[in-house]
Amino acid sequence: MRSYSNPAAVLFDMDGTLVDSDGAVVRAWAAWAAEYGVDPQVALADPHGNPAPTTVAILRPDLDAPGVAAAAARQLEFQYEDVADIVAATGATRLLAALERSSIPWAVVTSADDRLAKSRLDAAGIVPPLLLTFDDVDRGKPDPEGYMKAAAALGVDPADCLVVEDSEPGLAAGRAAGAMTAALRGLEGDVSLRDLNELADLIERGAPLSGPDRRGERGAPAAGLADSVASRDAAGTAGRGGSEPSAGSRAEPGRRHGG
């Protein structure tokens, strides 16, 4: 039986999950907001993870379809050339090496378009064996199309895949595809992670974790990971007199990206 520690494949979101591009994302949306008369705080406060046209339509509901397309294209222009301070997310390099050693295939499924995705992955030093972008689907997240296509391309059942995400639209897409979900930034998935090092621990140990019944109740964390996280937190609490989640584990409303 497939589990969190032994998925048939791992399907990653990009921004905020596999790649730390927070600074570039904030700069781009702030510049776009100033140009399009949107309060920057509003532009950066809404949940992220949607394709740019979806977000633009939310922020500027007065625009018609051609106007939304033009505004989304302009927003992407702000992002294309800005790769300053883009790096691999915490634990990403270690996790990808663990997947390679374990012969577990992986892919990136992002709401960014081809140009932006390749630019950021290159800046982070990550070369995915399979990349699906917004240009490869008819419907972006939260629609499951991207994750379904990735699983098909890898020749695996989506239900045996682990989708790793840091946004609600992305997690919704993973669930709709029938996959197991791992959530970052304090969000709730089938299992919640502070960073990708925790998933690397899981893969490296090959812990005998059983995921929730795919036909039954979802959302219960895998016991093995929950125990390891509890032990870590207990140790940390004893050492510093309190427990405070890391910045990367919190839901961060002041972030928006294309996934």
Side-chain angles (χ1 to χ4, degrees):
M1 179 179 179
R2 293 294 181 179
S3 69
Y4 302 118
S5 62
N6 183 35
V10 179
L11 310 179
F12 293 98
D13 173 50
M14 184 182 71
D15 289 310
T17 297
L18 204 55
V19 172
D20 182 354
S21 56
D22 289 4
V25 168
V26 169
R27 291 189 294 270
W29 277 104
W32 178 90
E35 186 170 304
Y36 274 81
V38 175
D39 183 341
Q41 295 302 314
V42 174
L44 293 170
D46 287 344
H48 62 277
N50 290 310
T54 302
T55 300
V56 167
I58 293 171
L59 294 173
R60 286 290 306 268
D62 57 304
L63 296 177
D64 58 13
V68 167
R74 178 58 175 150
Q75 201 285 326
L76 288 172
E77 288 177 8
F78 283 114
Q79 302 195 53
Y80 286 142
E81 304 302 329
D82 187 354
V83 295
D85 63 26
I86 291 179
V87 295
T90 300
T93 300
R94 180 184 164 212
L95 173 56
L96 297 180
L99 294 176
E100 180 70 21
R101 289 192 299 270
S102 301
S103 298
I104 297 174
W106 60 280
V108 172
V109 179
T110 175
S111 294
D113 67 5
D114 280 346
R115 180 179 173 184
L116 183 58
K118 291 172 181 176
S119 175
R120 287 185 174 163
L121 288 166
D122 183 65
I126 295 173
V127 182
L130 175 65
L131 171 64
L132 272 79
T133 74
F134 186 62
D135 294 329
D136 298 313
V137 298
D138 294 322
R139 300 170 301 280
K141 301 173 186 178
D143 191 277
E145 181 184 358
Y147 285 122
M148 298 288 285
K149 282 190 170 182
L154 294 175
V156 296
D157 187 333
D160 291 332
C161 293
L162 179 64
V163 165
V164 187
E165 276 277 1
D166 77 318
S167 75
E168 290 293 0
L171 289 168
R175 294 186 190 104
M180 298 175 283
T181 57
L184 293 158
R185 297 187 184 269
L187 299 178
E188 292 188 7
D190 291 326
V191 64
S192 295
L193 307 169
R194 283 196 178 185
D195 58 42
L196 297 181
N197 279 313
E198 289 191 342
L199 186 53
D201 288 340
L202 203 58
I203 298 295
E204 288 171 347
R205 289 199 310 266
L209 303 179
S210 295
D213 187 336
R214 312 314 299 161
R215 298 161 297 175
E217 182 178 358
R218 306 181 62 91
L225 180 58
D227 291 344
S228 69
V229 171
S231 297
R232 178 206 61 209
D233 288 347
T237 301
R240 63 180 181 271
S243 177
E244 176 68 18
S246 64
S249 70
R250 300 189 186 98
E252 300 182 46
R255 298 178 59 259
R256 177 191 299 289
H257 57 63

